[in-house]
Amino acid sequence: MSFRWGWSTSRAPKPEKSINKAAVWRRGEILQYNPSEIEKKWQAFWEAERSFEPSTDLSLPKKYVLSMFPYPSGRIHMGHVRNYTIGDAFARFYRQQGMNVLHPIGWDSFGMPAENAAIKHGVHPKKWTYENIDYMRKELASLGLSFSKEREFATSDPLYTKFEQGFIIDLFEKGLLYRKKAYLNWCPHDLTVLANEQVVDGCCWRCDTPIVKKEMNQYYLRITDYADELIDDLKQLERKWPNQVLAMQENWIGRSHGLEFTLAFDEHTKQLLRGEYEGFEVYTTRPDTIYGVSYTALAPEHPLVSYMIENRMLPQAAASEIEAMKNSSAIDRQKEKHGVALGIDVVHPLTGKKIPVWVANFVLMDYGSGAVMAVPAHDERDFDFATKYDLPITPVIAHPEEGIAEGRAMTEPGILFNSGAFSELMSDEAKSAIIEYFDKEGLGKKVTNYRLKDWGISRQRYWGAPIPLIHCPKCGIVAEKKENLPVTLPDDVEITGEGNPLEHHPTWKQCSCPQCGGEAERETDTMDTFVQSSWYFLRYTASAKLWEEKAFDKDELAYWMNVDHYIGGIEHAILHLLYSRFFTKALRDLGYVDADEPFERLLTQGMVLKDGAKMSKSKGNTVDPDALIEKYGADTARLFILFAAPPTQELEWNDSAVEGAFRFLRRFYERSENAYATDVIPAIDHSALSKPEKAARKKVYEALSRANDVFGERYTFNTMIAGVMEAMNALAEQKNADVWTEAYWVLSSLMEPIVPHVCWEISDRLFGGKNLASQQLKEEVFALESITLGVSVNGKNRGQIEVAPEASKAEMIEAAKAVVPNWLEGKTIVKEIVVPNKLVNLVVK
RNA sequence: GCGGACGUGGUGGAAUUGGUAGACACGCCAGACUUAGGAUCUGGUGCCGCAAGGUGUGGAGGUUCAAGUCCUCUCGUCCGCACCA
């Protein structure tokens, strides 16, 4: 055993400190804090007693506490320890309050690492995944986490896949899942497409390889149908979710309002294009600048551009330049603006002037219509481009104070000029006036655009949930029959990292069409793993009796939802949390769910740092949770993590502070010798106590009132623990066994959510477990015999007085004057301020 | 550039509504007990100063009897988004 702190043979007992009338144990002789023994004992007890299964009685008050489930990567890390410790504290607290608590755990077990392991080590992804789960389950158990075991599942379990595929078929039939060809983010390393949310700084979020655009067929979930609701419902989450997350989601959805209108070609261009195109649509949020349009620009992927290239309407040099633009990476495209003039013109809808059409690499095909009207005088991008290619810059808006800007783009709102009938208007008025005019004249309309795009869920990989669709040469894309679900993965695959193993499997994709019965092929794309994590919290609400039958039961769902506390890392602020919100709403519209929003309160934990940097294997600054638990015990790990910083802040690892946490627990455990066994909290006559005894009781109950505050609203476990430490310090100043016993009755209950093993041990030994329930405040301990007031002169602290609680204002002022004579000498007091229970301030001149 | 969070001792961090800044802990210093100490216990510890006292919450102003807290400006750090027309 590597635990080496429990020795005490040489530690002398302190007889003068351990006098107490119950003297059951003597310090250091009977009690030795041996966490590994205590923790094993209670973990086994909880396991045997199935202590943490929620009741199926749906009339009880409930709390649903959920820490984000882990990917089974092999071993837990400190981020997990923090995440699950926080959740466990809530769960245990609510159980003490008499709530029916759902606190489940599961595994987000599909995904790339399993396949990478297969490529690298030749292990089958299934074997690798489920072995990891078994190992990590043990690791989590060693932390003493109070999870419900009955509801545990892995998202790669066929039963989970079955229900998920059912939802996907429903979504497909409702038109919320569709297939289209598009230019996609392609990771050349992982050989798969990525959603926009999974592209970080132009690179793959997993392997950091720069992504390229590739035109492919792919399945999409119509999340944009829910864009307005996703943005509007953020209001319901204010003050319950961190502002940062709300802001990130709002920006990500990126709603904007503007004018969409058609730019028609001039006659010459129409002829050139052989009548195929009359014009193209553009979108602008700045219709007020419309008289300043001096050119327009199309995305390189714009269909009109492809048409011109295919029909050889462009010089060879221009065509190849455009092809090069298409193939350059997102990062390269951002480096410098490039353009090619197409040699064609459109007509300005208001002035009738000819405007040249360009292709520009900064125009995005998948936003708006893939084409922009360029106003270089009032847009920085357009300005840069115009400067580079020497295009005209026509100001039409004057800055209210500075007038007409020169040599830069004036992007602020202002007063219009050279703008026909709209001149003299302010930008805001002009915007609506111009939109109204376009609408009236049938030239264009007001539209809302979103930065958010539909969620591409296809992945060209093996270790994922198959998309349950079938390609039939006669019927097209058809959903698999629900009774045939789940569509499972074949076990006999060769995983080489090249291409999709399902595609290459000799027989797997052969099937018959569910509609016509003819020969057909299965879809070989599997789903993005974020699909699984978008509804796992719903699945947990299903009790064992319905487990096989349905994904979840409406009554049980209505009872448990929403998740009351959801705890996880800020890195999921967009991806997982946005998808889950969408999925909840989509399932609601399919009639499965009643909730609009899944997560009532969100707590985003900070990262765990060491030496100022995020712990990572590559930096070599990790702390291994297993080793920590073996050396100090789970309670020490849990205590340190909750004590060292508030949960939302970053947590700097500190080995000596960990030892400090351990020393506190040892004192906490060993000093329970000063309490005696009882099954009711001792009744104490407060007025008969000595001063230190009273002070100790007061600290104990202060700690209690702080705890209620912390779990209810503030989540600052660190201050609650500090309160318990203060109480322990105050207790050591007195020897009253009743006071000690009462204190342990209260404190071991308070600390149980944080350090459960040692508290169950103390509680079991002294109180038969009866104290592990919500505690009553004793108001009499807060009654004061005397009040200490600060005395300040002109707002500066100069001394202290002690007065009786019933002292009059005048008495307090007199007493105050008496302690600060030096500061009053030769001065006149002009004002005397008494703040009850706080201070007396004397204002002098 | 836009959006968000945040700046308090040597360190992590306290300070519900403006009311004795630095709780609690780590570290450090001194002492006790010890063959020994990385154990335990006692005391001390914002900074300057022998002291009296001065000074102090990134910086500069302001409101107030009183500001870490409210207001204005400013500097800095971190995070997210980023040619979204």
Side-chain angles (χ1 to χ4, degrees):
Chain A
M1 189 174 69
S2 70
F3 175 72
R4 54 192 253 274
W5 302 100
W7 65 5
S8 61
T9 45
S10 66
R11 204 185 310 137
K14 291 244 168 160
E16 74 284 356
K17 276 247 162 184
S18 53
I19 308 165
N20 69 57
K21 60 188 176 188
V24 184
W25 300 297
R26 303 197 41 180
R27 181 148 221 293
E29 289 188 350
I30 293 178
L31 281 188
Q32 289 173 30
Y33 181 45
N34 184 339
S36 75
E37 202 174 282
I38 292 177
E39 292 179 3
K40 276 197 197 92
K41 169 179 161 188
W42 288 105
Q43 284 165 16
F45 175 84
W46 295 328
E47 174 94 41
E49 297 288 314
R50 306 157 66 82
S51 306
F52 308 120
E53 298 306 330
S55 163
T56 49
D57 177 353
L58 305 187
S59 65
L60 300 168
K62 71 94 188 181
K63 287 284 177 186
Y64 184 176
V65 177
L66 185 62
S67 294
M68 289 180 185
F69 69 166
Y71 178 79
S73 56
R75 307 194 65 143
I76 60 168
H77 54 68
M78 277 304 163
H80 291 127
V81 177
R82 195 175 193 194
N83 189 222
Y84 298 115
T85 299
I86 295 166
D88 199 50
F90 279 113
R92 288 177 179 271
F93 174 79
Y94 287 126
R95 271 187 216 104
Q96 280 200 29
Q97 304 292 307
M99 302 277 197
N100 188 16
V101 172
L102 176 56
H103 183 225
I105 184 74
W107 310 93
D108 186 15
S109 56
F110 271 136
M112 218 94 77
E115 235 168 304
N116 293 341
I119 295 162
K120 214 168 155 190
H121 307 295
V123 204
H124 195 279
K126 191 191 268 180
K127 183 170 159 29
W128 185 85
T129 300
Y130 284 87
E131 281 176 5
N132 283 350
I133 289 173
D134 287 340
Y135 188 81
M136 288 173 73
R137 188 187 292 115
K138 281 187 201 131
E139 287 185 296
L140 292 182
S142 74
L143 279 164
L145 301 169
S146 63
F147 289 129
S148 159
K149 310 264 176 189
E150 282 173 2
R151 299 176 187 222
E152 180 188 325
F153 61 84
T155 57
S156 51
D157 294 346
L159 195 54
Y160 192 80
T161 301
K162 172 181 160 179
F163 297 125
E164 182 165 300
Q165 288 172 337
F167 295 140
I168 291 294
I169 288 171
D170 290 340
L171 291 168
F172 176 69
E173 283 168 354
K174 217 180 166 222
L176 287 170
L177 176 74
Y178 65 98
R179 190 181 199 228
K180 76 169 180 198
K181 200 167 200 183
Y183 284 91
L184 299 174
N185 306 308
W186 175 259
C187 172
H189 178 265
D190 289 341
L191 298 177
T192 188
V193 296
L194 299 170
N196 285 309
E197 293 83 348
Q198 294 163 355
V199 179
V200 179
D201 292 330
C203 297
C204 174
W205 70 303
R206 271 197 186 282
C207 67
D208 243 15
T209 310
I211 63 115
V212 293
K213 291 279 172 185
K214 188 167 172 181
E215 195 175 28
M216 288 181 71
N217 263 314
Q218 130 122 333
Y219 291 91
Y220 290 89
L221 282 173
R222 225 178 268 285
I223 190 171
T224 54
D225 272 15
Y226 289 82
D228 277 320
E229 204 189 336
L230 287 168
I231 231 173
D232 294 338
D233 284 357
L234 290 173
K235 273 207 185 61
Q236 299 175 23
L237 304 174
E238 274 169 23
R239 283 179 300 280
K240 299 185 200 164
W241 281 33
N243 281 336
Q244 193 186 173
V245 176
L246 297 176
M248 282 166 76
Q249 293 220 350
E250 191 172 342
N251 292 342
W252 188 265
I253 298 167
R255 179 162 61 189
S256 74
H257 304 287
L259 171 69
E260 188 180 75
F261 64 98
T262 305
L263 283 169
F265 292 121
D266 69 348
E267 285 310 316
H268 171 258
T269 304
K270 280 183 193 167
Q271 276 176 23
L272 182 80
L273 298 177
R274 298 172 200 151
E276 283 289 320
Y277 283 86
E278 291 289 313
F280 56 85
E281 304 275 300
V282 292
Y283 169 75
T284 179
T285 55
R286 291 295 304 272
D288 53 320
T289 65
I290 196 161
Y291 281 83
V293 175
S294 59
Y295 63 98
T296 89
L298 301 173
E301 296 86 0
H302 196 283
L304 172 64
V305 179
S306 310
Y307 172 79
M308 289 182 76
I309 293 175
E310 279 160 25
N311 292 287
R312 304 182 177 278
M313 293 169 177
L314 292 174
Q316 187 52 45
S320 31
E321 211 171 314
I322 293 169
E323 287 300 332
M325 274 184 212
K326 281 200 224 177
N327 292 331
S328 64
S329 72
I331 300 171
D332 284 337
R333 270 174 89 151
Q334 281 182 31
K335 274 186 195 148
E336 209 194 330
K337 291 188 171 47
H338 278 301
V340 175
L342 290 177
I344 57 176
D345 297 294
V346 291
V347 179
H348 191 288
L350 299 180
T351 65
K353 274 206 248 170
K354 271 196 198 176
I355 301 166
V357 182
W358 286 65
V359 170
N361 67 344
F362 69 90
V363 181
L364 308 172
M365 186 60 225
D366 51 8
Y367 183 78
S369 54
V372 298
M373 66 173 215
V375 185
H378 303 294
D379 183 285
E380 277 174 31
R381 297 153 300 182
D382 299 345
F383 181 87
D384 292 346
F385 192 83
T387 310
K388 177 165 176 180
Y389 292 104
D390 206 18
L391 294 161
I393 296 168
T394 323
V396 290
I397 294 182
H399 193 278
E401 282 114 44
E402 296 159 25
I404 301 166
E406 267 177 56
R408 69 173 184 106
M410 203 291 279
T411 57
E412 301 96 280
I415 305 155
L416 276 71
F417 64 96
N418 284 349
S419 296
F422 305 101
S423 297
E424 307 296 319
L425 289 179
M426 296 296 294
S427 286
D428 269 358
E429 311 165 301
K431 276 184 197 173
S432 28
I434 291 171
I435 290 173
E436 206 178 304
Y437 178 81
F438 270 73
D439 195 47
K440 204 175 70 196
E441 299 294 317
L443 295 170
K445 58 178 194 282
K446 183 173 182 172
V447 298
T448 302
N449 248 316
Y450 305 90
R451 195 181 160 281
L452 180 72
K453 309 204 171 54
D454 276 341
W455 172 19
I457 60 158
S458 293
R459 296 294 179 271
Q460 291 70 39
R461 303 293 296 206
Y462 166 73
W463 192 237
I467 296 175
L469 298 178
I470 289 165
H471 299 267
C472 170
K474 283 191 210 135
C475 312
I477 300 178
V478 188
E480 175 61 281
K481 287 185 188 152
K482 282 199 180 172
E483 62 260 33
N484 293 340
L485 300 182
V487 177
T488 52
L489 296 168
D491 283 336
D492 55 333
V493 284
E494 218 186 312
I495 294 165
T496 58
E498 280 174 32
N500 181 349
L502 293 180
E503 186 72 45
H504 298 147
H505 191 276
T507 56
W508 184 79
K509 60 182 173 178
Q510 294 166 14
C511 66
S512 53
C513 172
Q515 252 172 44
C516 70
E519 266 185 40
E521 281 195 352
R522 285 196 187 287
E523 173 58 55
T524 58
D525 282 355
T526 52
M527 288 186 240
D528 184 1
T529 57
F530 280 103
V531 176
Q532 285 92 67
S533 54
S534 291
W535 71 281
Y536 78 110
F537 47 89
L538 301 174
R539 174 63 171 165
Y540 284 139
T541 65
S543 61
K545 59 176 192 228
L546 297 164
W547 192 251
E548 306 267 335
E549 250 174 78
K550 21 177 156 174
F552 39 75
D553 172 71
K554 254 201 139 168
D555 290 338
E556 289 181 330
L557 196 68
Y559 172 72
W560 286 114
M561 289 295 282
N562 299 348
V563 175
D564 292 282
H565 292 278
Y566 196 36
I567 303 130
I570 186 79
E571 66 273 20
H572 294 107
I574 294 172
L575 293 164
H576 164 58
L577 290 169
L578 189 65
Y579 294 148
S580 297
R581 294 181 61 223
F582 158 65
F583 226 78
T584 302
K585 291 171 193 295
L587 291 182
R588 174 201 62 197
D589 292 346
L590 289 172
Y592 288 107
V593 181
D594 279 327
D596 292 324
E597 287 289 334
F599 310 122
E600 195 64 24
R601 282 180 177 272
L602 173 69
L603 192 160
T604 49
Q605 70 188 73
M607 286 190 305
V608 183
L609 308 180
K610 190 163 191 240
D611 310 321
K614 186 182 179 174
M615 282 189 186
S616 75
K617 275 183 208 150
S618 58
K619 289 194 197 91
N621 62 345
T622 56
V623 175
D624 173 28
D626 293 349
L628 180 77
I629 291 165
E630 192 170 338
K631 186 168 175 187
Y632 298 104
D635 282 339
T636 293
R638 297 170 60 124
L639 181 65
F640 170 75
I641 276 196
L642 293 179
F643 180 59
T648 54
Q649 270 178 48
E650 288 178 339
L651 172 74
E652 175 69 34
W653 198 263
N654 179 334
D655 288 326
S656 27
V658 173
E659 292 199 27
F662 175 81
R663 286 199 297 267
F664 171 76
L665 284 183
R666 180 168 51 193
R667 272 198 308 275
F668 183 66
Y669 181 69
E670 292 176 357
R671 285 183 188 172
S672 70
E673 291 172 341
N674 296 318
Y676 53 81
T678 172
D679 50 15
V680 288
I681 189 167
I684 295 175
D685 176 5
H686 194 66
S687 60
L689 298 180
S690 70
K691 231 176 164 176
E693 288 164 350
K694 283 179 177 166
R697 287 194 83 203
K698 189 173 163 211
K699 285 286 186 193
V700 168
Y701 284 101
E702 277 174 1
L704 172 60
S705 76
R706 233 195 268 194
N708 291 329
D709 210 33
V710 162
F711 282 103
E713 201 62 45
R714 288 159 35 87
Y715 313 147
T716 47
F717 302 102
N718 54 330
T719 61
M720 176 199 145
I721 295 165
V724 173
M725 289 175 170
E726 282 182 58
M728 287 300 292
N729 292 344
L731 282 162
E733 300 298 317
Q734 56 81 53
K735 297 163 193 167
N736 185 317
D738 291 330
V739 171
W740 274 103
T741 304
E742 179 196 41
Y744 266 90
W745 183 283
V746 173
L747 297 181
S748 61
S749 159
L750 279 190
M751 289 296 279
E752 189 270 344
I754 293 165
V755 285
H757 309 89
V758 69
C759 288
W760 279 64
E761 179 66 20
I762 291 169
S763 171
D764 181 54
R765 191 187 285 262
L766 292 175
F767 313 123
K770 290 204 168 58
N771 67 322
L772 297 182
S774 76
Q775 300 295 319
Q776 294 296 311
L777 274 180
K778 301 251 163 99
E779 292 301 334
E780 79 265 20
V781 307
F782 298 114
L784 298 165
E785 289 185 334
S786 67
I787 303 171
T788 309
L789 295 176
V791 178
S792 44
V793 179
N794 288 343
K796 279 197 199 295
N797 181 30
R798 297 301 182 193
Q800 257 184 13
I801 52 170
E802 229 171 271
V803 296
E806 63 280 1
S808 69
K809 242 179 165 179
E811 285 169 323
M812 293 189 225
I813 291 164
E814 276 322 300
K817 284 178 186 168
V819 291
V820 291
N822 296 350
W823 305 98
L824 303 179
E825 221 179 277
K827 308 275 170 88
T828 28
I829 297 176
V830 294
K831 204 166 177 182
E832 292 150 341
I833 292 149
V834 178
V835 183
N837 296 326
K838 298 280 185 185
L839 55 71
V840 177
N841 187 19
L842 303 171
V843 185
V844 302
K845 263 209 282 208

